Amino acid sequence: MILFAESAANAQDMQFSQAYSNPVNINPAMAGTTERNRFVFNHRNQWPSLQHSFRSFSTGSDHHLNSTNGGIGVNLHRDVAGASQLTNTLISVSYSQHVRLTRKSTLAIGIKGNFGQRAFD
């Protein structure tokens, strides 16, 4: 097992043509903003005519918590890129708290934790 640590990190999010269809991925405060359970699935195959195209998958779910007036969410992302089959896998867990300010407005605050793995063939 090899472990690396850095003091600074840079990242690039996976790009989907309809990224807004997974709101918890964009903003963890969106977890539980609906009264019902939400399940999402996104897929992108960029440049499919290439022998080794770039493929991205994203799936997630979030649930409203009545007891705390908040929400929880889970996302799974997988990205496979190019001839070397560079694979990025990311699991995210989100929690949000919703505070009613007025009858028509709510403040939502969220936090997100990630675990990721990168590998190549």
Side-chain angles (χ1 to χ4, degrees):
M1 180 173 164
I2 299 173
L3 180 67
F4 295 99
E6 281 189 31
S7 60
N10 296 314
Q12 179 177 340
D13 292 335
M14 290 183 232
Q15 295 179 356
F16 294 102
S17 61
Q18 298 178 350
Y20 55 84
S21 67
N22 190 348
V24 178
N25 183 42
I26 297 171
N27 184 354
M30 297 295 287
T33 54
T34 63
E35 295 291 325
R36 299 181 179 170
N37 294 331
R38 177 173 31 206
F39 298 95
V40 297
F41 179 78
N42 294 317
H43 172 263
R44 180 178 184 185
N45 188 3
Q46 184 176 359
W47 303 318
S49 61
L50 294 178
Q51 183 178 4
H52 300 287
S53 63
F54 293 77
R55 298 174 314 277
S56 299
F57 308 90
S58 175
T59 186
S61 174
D62 66 292
H63 177 73
H64 180 74
L65 301 172
N66 287 325
S67 59
T68 63
N69 198 30
I72 58 171
V74 176
N75 281 324
L76 172 65
H77 305 284
R78 184 165 172 88
D79 187 42
V80 181
S84 66
Q85 299 295 297
L86 177 63
T87 304
N88 294 309
T89 305
L90 181 67
I91 298 171
S92 306
V93 178
S94 303
Y95 174 77
S96 67
Q97 186 64 49
H98 309 144
V99 179
R100 183 164 292 243
L101 299 176
T102 67
R103 193 175 67 109
K104 292 185 177 182
S105 63
T106 302
L107 174 66
I109 301 168
I111 188 168
K112 181 178 183 179
N114 297 319
F115 174 77
Q117 178 183 12
R118 181 176 285 181
F120 65 93
D121 187 10

